[in-house]
């Protein structure tokens, strides 16, 4: 196939330029465009499955260190090691549920019985402290208690109407969890063969680069997950003993300790504040101001200990991540994939940082900033002044 294009030269002569298009080339371009469109359509239609596979691969990376430890220490096959991890995790989750269900029921009962009184106390405190009148403030049997009871009743009636929807959502959630568990099992149990299959498609130089990146992904993800688990246990234990010390019932201290330990450790950036605020507020409502201040003091002291001692010690070889990058990564991950995206954002950000530091070329700094020159001049002046004082003495 060819097209003739007329072209006029500067001297007025007209010439023709012949451009040829091979039919095979056109078919190739059309085929590539069609394949791209079909690929985008498939990804859009199977977006939920793609997310599940991605999350499964992330969890398989987190399981790799434990699987390697079990296979090297006890000689288990990789599939058996993954099965042991699944069994232990399932038993731990079941025990946690059996402990938390009565505790959460007690907490809900306490909030339901005392919620109106807490609300009225807060209204009275606002009126006494700031002179602000909110509603009629008629005490426990007044407007606030009645309105709260009415709201809870209306919420219960609405919840009965959405019971079928909740059951359907629960079935979908269970199916997603089962799908992730299956993909994670195969990714982890067959990891060496999967790695060799991927690296076998690449030349030798690229194999070293991708292999190093793969190792870093395991190190960053596994290090993040296990170090967070240790910190969660430490923080949750501290929460529990602190709340028991100030007089909180054990049945309430257990769920609050689990909540505070998990949220403050596994939710980036804002998790520290949320994980500490809920136990403090409930302690204030149930036990009073002084116990709440004691819990607040624990939260502040523990955060300093974790930031300056525990976290550097436990995560000394992983998660070398700038605070601003961690905060931005958490926001980005949450915007892309919700809470689960925020959950995995830190190891992903640490992996990207490691890849950039290893593969992006770096150069020696040749420019000197003006404030550094001023700082050097001030330092020299102080040293000269000190030497002159020494000579005089």
């Amino acid at each position: 196939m060819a097209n003739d294009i007329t072209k006029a030269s500067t001297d007025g002569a007209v010439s023709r330029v012949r451009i040829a298009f091979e039919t095979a080339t056109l078919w190739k371009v059309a085929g590539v465009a069609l394949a791209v469109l079909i690929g985008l359509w498939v990804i859009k239609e199977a977006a939920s499955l793609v997310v599940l596979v991605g999350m499964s691969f992330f969890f398989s990376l987190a399981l790799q260190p434990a699987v390697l430890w079990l296979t090297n220490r006890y000689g288990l096959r990789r599939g058996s090691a993954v099965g042991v991890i699944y069994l232990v995790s399932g038993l731990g989750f079941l025990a946690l549920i059996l402990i938390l269900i009565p505790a959460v029921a007690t907490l809900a009962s306490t909030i339901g019985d005392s919620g109106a009184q807490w609300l009225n106390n807060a209204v009275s405190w606002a009126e006494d402290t700031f002179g602000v009148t909110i509603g009629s403030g008629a005490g426990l049997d007044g407007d606030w208690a009645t309105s709260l009871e009415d709201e809870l009743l209306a919420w219960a009636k609405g919840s009965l109407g959405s019971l079928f929807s909740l059951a359907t959502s629960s079935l979908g959630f269970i199916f997603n969890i089962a799908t992730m568990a299956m993909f994670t099992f195969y990714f982890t149990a067959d990891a060496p063969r999967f790695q060799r299959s991927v690296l076998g498609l690449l030349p030798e130089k690229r194999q070293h680069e991708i292999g190093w990146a793969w190792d870093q992904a395991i190190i960053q993800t596994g290090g993040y997950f296990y170090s967070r688990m240790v910190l969660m246990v430490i923080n949750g234990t501290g929460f529990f003993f602190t709340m028991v010390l100030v007089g909180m019932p054990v049945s309430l201290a257990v769920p609050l300790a689990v909540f505070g330990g998990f949220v403050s450790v596994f939710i980036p950036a804002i998790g520290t504040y949320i994980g500490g605020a809920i136990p403090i507020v409930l302690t204030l409502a149930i036990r009073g101001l002084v116990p709440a201040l004691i819990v607040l003091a624990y939260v502040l002291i523990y955060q300093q200990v974790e930031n300056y001692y525990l976290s550097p010690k436990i995560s000394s070889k992983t998660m070398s991540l700038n605070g601003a990058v961690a905060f931005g990564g958490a926001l980005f991950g949450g915007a892309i994939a919700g809470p689960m995206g925020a959950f995995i954002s830190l190891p992903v950000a640490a992996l990207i940082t490691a890849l950039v530091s290893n593969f992006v070329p770096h150069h020696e700094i040749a420019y000197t900033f003006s404030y550094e020159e001023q700082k050097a001049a001030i330092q020299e002046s102080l040293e000269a002044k000190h030497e002159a004082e020494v000579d005089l003495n």
Side-chain angles (χ1 to χ4, degrees):
M1 181 184 296
N3 288 334
D4 291 336
I5 298 178
T6 302
K7 180 180 178 181
S9 61
T10 55
D11 57 359
V14 177
S15 60
R16 290 182 178 274
V17 179
R18 189 175 182 83
I19 301 178
F21 296 97
E22 295 290 341
T23 303
T25 302
L26 292 178
W27 280 111
K28 289 180 181 179
V29 172
V32 170
L34 181 61
V36 170
L37 292 176
I38 293 175
L40 293 175
W41 177 80
V42 170
I43 292 175
K44 179 182 177 181
E45 293 298 320
S48 59
L49 180 61
V50 172
V51 171
L52 290 178
V53 172
M55 294 300 302
S56 302
F57 184 71
F58 165 79
F59 285 117
S60 73
L61 295 176
L63 293 181
Q64 290 289 347
V67 170
L68 291 175
W69 181 76
L70 288 173
T71 55
N72 294 333
R73 180 75 178 271
Y74 299 102
L76 298 177
R77 295 178 179 271
R78 292 187 63 89
S80 301
V82 179
V84 169
I85 295 173
Y86 274 23
L87 178 61
V88 173
S89 301
L91 292 176
F93 183 75
L94 179 61
L96 186 63
I97 291 297
L98 294 177
I99 293 173
L100 285 182
I101 285 179
V104 171
T106 303
L107 180 60
S109 176
T110 302
I111 294 175
D113 294 339
S114 306
Q117 182 63 52
W118 298 342
L119 192 57
N120 281 325
N121 291 340
V123 172
S124 300
W125 176 81
E127 292 178 353
D128 296 339
T129 305
F130 302 105
V132 177
T133 301
I134 306 175
S136 61
L140 181 61
D141 298 325
D143 291 347
W144 286 104
T146 304
S147 61
L148 179 61
E149 185 177 354
D150 293 340
E151 290 294 333
L152 290 175
L153 183 60
W155 176 82
K157 292 180 179 179
S159 299
L160 291 176
S162 60
L163 184 61
F164 179 76
S165 176
L166 178 62
T168 304
S169 300
S170 299
L171 290 176
F173 177 75
I174 294 174
F175 175 77
N176 290 338
I177 293 297
T179 303
M180 288 179 56
M182 188 64 66
F183 275 117
T184 301
F185 179 86
Y186 286 120
F187 278 141
T188 309
D190 210 24
R193 184 185 302 176
F194 180 53
Q195 290 172 337
R196 288 193 295 269
S197 299
V198 174
L199 295 181
L201 302 174
L202 305 171
E204 183 177 352
K205 180 180 178 181
R206 294 300 179 189
Q207 287 184 18
H208 288 287
E209 295 175 351
I210 299 300
W212 182 89
W214 207 314
D215 287 340
Q216 284 298 310
I218 294 174
I219 292 172
Q220 298 292 343
T221 306
Y224 168 75
F225 183 77
Y226 298 115
S227 63
R228 297 290 100 180
M229 288 290 292
V230 172
L231 291 175
M232 184 190 74
V233 171
I234 295 174
N235 192 14
T237 303
F239 258 123
F240 174 77
F241 283 110
T242 302
M243 285 185 288
V244 171
L245 178 65
V246 300
M248 289 287 285
V250 174
S251 58
L252 299 181
V254 170
L256 292 177
V258 173
F259 173 83
F262 178 83
V263 172
S264 62
V265 169
F266 277 104
I267 296 181
I270 62 173
T272 299
Y273 308 102
I274 299 175
I278 301 301
I280 291 171
V281 170
L282 289 177
T283 303
L284 174 64
I286 296 174
R287 299 300 302 168
L289 179 61
V290 174
L293 291 177
I294 294 176
V295 178
L296 173 62
Y298 163 76
V299 172
L300 296 177
I301 293 173
Y302 173 79
Q303 286 304 316
Q304 300 306 312
V305 174
E306 179 183 301
N307 293 336
Y308 293 101
Y309 180 76
L310 292 177
S311 187
K313 289 288 184 181
I314 296 174
S315 306
S316 59
K317 296 183 179 180
T318 61
M319 297 300 294
S320 55
L321 198 58
N322 179 271
V325 175
F327 182 69
L331 294 179
F332 183 79
I336 295 298
M340 193 60 71
F343 175 74
I344 68 172
S345 61
L346 292 190
V348 172
L351 174 61
I352 294 174
T353 302
L355 295 177
V356 170
S357 64
N358 187 74
F359 293 118
V360 176
H362 293 74
H363 305 280
E364 184 178 353
I365 302 299
Y367 178 80
T368 303
F369 292 95
S370 58
Y371 67 84
E372 292 183 348
E373 295 178 347
Q374 295 174 2
K375 180 180 178 181
I378 294 173
Q379 185 67 27
E380 291 178 359
S381 176
L382 291 176
E383 292 177 355
K385 183 179 179 180
H386 178 70
E387 292 177 358
E389 292 176 352
V390 171
D391 293 339
L392 290 176
N393 294 332

